[in-house]
Amino acid sequence: MAEPSWQETLRLRLAERNAKESAYASIIEQYRRLAQQTKLLKERNASLLRAVGSVKGNPSSSTVFVPGTGEDNPVRAAYMASLESQISSLRDELATVYKTQGQNAQRLLSMNETLREKEELSRIDSENLRKTRDEIAVLRRKVDQHAELMAEKDHTVQILHDEINTLQLELGQIEERNVTLTKDNAKLLQRWLDAKQAEANKMNEANQFYENMRSKHQAVLSWRDGSVEDGGDTGNPASQPSVSGSGKGGASDASHLSLTKNGIPSPAANPMELTPNG
């Protein structure tokens, strides 16, 4: 996980500060060593001057070292003390250098460990970044596909709306036609019913007329049979019955009727033929 921006800024500023402060570290170290060396030389010179002063105060003593003599040369002793002091200072400095070297080695190990951790974190971050980029690419492709799908759906919805509007118009026209056809059908049905009613009325009138004619014909036949039985002579024309006024038009009207075998009037008895539409 990446560090927050403020922590990164603080780290960069601290690194800049350390770089600025350590820019003259080598020069400062050289001046420190030079000052330490100067101090040692001053101490050695002071000891040598004290030794020379003691030699001048005691002229009987010799400044030349003679081997085998038990006397110590003051100059040599001062020089030896100065060398020992220098050796001690160098040993202290060497110890300081060893200590600093150990600290630097420890810091180097720590920095290597930190560098390894940072490299591992960097590798993990790179892997996460790669995965995130792949996911972003996949999501972008999905977004593009969804956008195309939505565009197609919008186009389909528009087409469906147009078709619905067209169908609604056609439905309105069909409903109007249905209403018109219903009205026409009702009119035609009423006309057909009226025609059938008129036809039935005419048939009833024809049947009634036929029954009347039949009853009159039967009456004529009955009357004729009675006359024959009373007169006994059917060959005399004078004895033929004459049709009275009450039977006027009976025989002639009956002659105009064409009867079938069963006594039902044929279609010729109907004065007109009617169609269902009248």
Side-chain angles (χ1 to χ4, degrees):
M1 182 180 292
E3 295 180 355
S5 59
W6 65 272
Q7 292 184 0
E8 183 66 19
T9 304
L10 182 60
R11 188 183 65 81
L12 292 174
R13 290 181 179 178
L14 290 174
E16 292 176 359
R17 187 200 66 179
N18 294 333
K20 289 179 180 180
E21 290 181 353
S22 60
Y24 302 100
S26 59
I27 299 174
I28 293 172
E29 183 65 22
Q30 293 295 331
Y31 274 106
R32 187 185 65 80
R33 292 181 179 179
L34 181 59
Q36 189 176 4
Q37 188 69 22
T38 303
K39 180 181 177 182
L40 292 175
L41 291 175
K42 284 182 178 181
E43 292 178 354
R44 186 176 64 178
N45 291 333
S47 61
L48 289 175
L49 289 174
R50 286 194 300 270
V52 171
S54 63
V55 170
K56 288 181 178 179
N58 188 8
S60 60
S61 60
S62 175
T63 59
V64 180
F65 175 72
V66 179
T69 60
E71 296 180 357
D72 293 333
N73 192 346
V75 176
R76 181 175 176 277
Y79 185 71
M80 291 295 292
S82 176
L83 290 177
E84 288 177 357
S85 177
Q86 188 176 0
I87 290 171
S88 177
S89 176
L90 291 174
R91 285 177 178 176
D92 294 338
E93 186 177 355
L94 183 61
T96 303
V97 170
Y98 284 153
K99 183 178 180 180
T100 304
Q101 185 178 2
Q103 292 177 355
N104 291 333
Q106 186 66 28
R107 289 181 61 188
L108 181 61
L109 292 176
S110 178
M111 293 297 291
N112 288 332
E113 183 67 20
T114 304
L115 179 61
R116 188 185 64 79
E117 292 177 357
K118 292 294 184 182
E119 288 177 351
E120 183 67 20
L121 290 175
S122 178
R123 187 186 64 80
I124 294 173
D125 291 339
S126 299
E127 186 68 19
N128 292 332
L129 181 61
R130 185 185 63 80
K131 291 181 180 179
T132 304
R133 287 178 177 175
D134 295 338
E135 291 177 358
I136 290 172
V138 172
L139 292 175
R140 284 179 178 173
R141 287 196 296 269
K142 288 183 178 180
V143 168
D144 294 337
Q145 293 176 357
H146 288 167
E148 294 177 357
L149 183 61
M150 290 301 295
E152 293 178 358
K153 287 184 177 180
D154 291 338
H155 182 65
T156 306
V157 168
Q158 185 63 36
I159 293 174
L160 291 176
H161 278 303
D162 296 338
E163 292 181 356
I164 288 171
N165 293 330
T166 304
L167 292 175
Q168 286 179 350
L169 293 175
E170 292 180 357
L171 181 61
Q173 295 176 358
I174 291 172
E175 288 178 352
E176 292 178 358
R177 289 179 60 190
N178 287 334
V179 171
T180 304
L181 291 175
T182 302
K183 292 180 180 179
D184 293 341
N185 190 17
K187 291 180 180 180
L188 291 175
L189 181 61
Q190 187 64 37
R191 290 179 61 186
W192 183 79
L193 290 175
D194 295 338
K196 288 297 181 182
Q197 184 67 33
E199 185 179 356
N201 293 332
K202 290 180 181 180
M203 288 297 295
N204 291 331
E205 292 177 356
N207 290 331
Q208 186 177 4
F209 178 76
Y210 170 74
E211 291 294 334
N212 292 330
M213 292 297 103
R214 185 177 180 183
S215 61
K216 290 180 180 180
H217 180 68
Q218 290 293 333
V220 170
L221 290 178
S222 299
W223 177 77
R224 182 183 298 176
D225 292 339
S227 297
V228 171
E229 290 177 357
D230 294 336
D233 189 4
T234 59
N236 188 7
S239 63
Q240 296 293 329
S242 61
V243 178
S244 63
S246 61
K248 184 179 180 180
S252 62
D253 291 337
S255 63
H256 290 290
L257 294 174
S258 60
L259 301 178
T260 62
K261 185 178 180 180
N262 296 327
I264 300 173
S266 65
N270 294 329
M272 64 177 64
E273 293 182 356
L274 299 177
T275 61
N277 295 327

